[in-house]
Amino acid sequence: LHRVLGDISSASFELEHRLGAEIRQGVLRDLAAVEAQLASTRAVQPAYRQEMRSNVQGELRRLRQTLMQQLRKMEPHSYALQQRVKAMQDDPEWTGKEEKPLGEGAKPMRP
């Protein structure tokens, strides 16, 4: 009975060790896969941000042009508006001739 009990005990220790090793290997494989996904995501992020920045700058440029066109149509009715449109036409940020990256020294339009 003691010999059978010892065999069962050693078999259970061996089974526990094998299961622990198998679980450990599975976890390490999963961690390696997650790390690979993280690395690929980090590599894509700068390109995505640059693409989004370009898209936003293009949209902003189109909005500025539309606004300038609308202001030019309204300009004959108000002297103050004429002066403001004239100042905006000389501003390279509004004309789109010198585009600054978003978030760097953007000047808000004064009323």
Side-chain angles (χ1 to χ4, degrees):
L1 185 61
H2 288 294
R3 188 175 41 159
V4 172
L5 185 59
D7 289 344
I8 291 173
S9 177
S10 68
S12 72
F13 284 132
E14 183 179 345
L15 185 59
E16 182 181 355
H17 174 71
R18 285 184 182 184
L19 285 174
E22 188 177 324
I23 290 171
R24 199 172 305 117
Q25 289 297 322
V27 168
L28 289 175
R29 277 192 304 270
D30 291 346
L31 282 175
V34 168
E35 285 177 353
Q37 287 176 345
L38 180 62
S40 70
T41 301
R42 283 184 177 163
V44 171
Q45 186 181 11
Y48 172 76
R49 290 180 66 198
Q50 181 60 37
E51 180 183 348
M52 289 301 293
R53 179 178 288 129
S54 299
N55 290 342
V56 168
Q57 285 177 340
E59 185 64 26
L60 183 59
R61 191 176 304 114
R62 285 188 293 279
L63 287 172
R64 285 177 181 157
Q65 289 172 352
T66 302
L67 180 62
M68 286 299 289
Q69 289 171 356
Q70 290 174 354
L71 288 173
R72 284 185 191 122
K73 287 179 185 176
M74 295 170 44
E75 137 183 327
H77 303 296
S78 167
Y79 179 75
L81 185 58
Q82 286 177 359
Q83 296 303 313
R84 184 65 191 148
V85 169
K86 187 175 181 181
M88 288 169 57
Q89 287 174 342
D90 296 337
D91 188 352
E93 187 174 315
W94 274 94
T95 58
K97 293 178 182 168
E98 182 182 300
E99 190 69 39
K100 292 182 183 178
L102 293 178
E104 294 182 14
K107 294 186 291 186
M109 187 178 121
R110 291 183 300 262

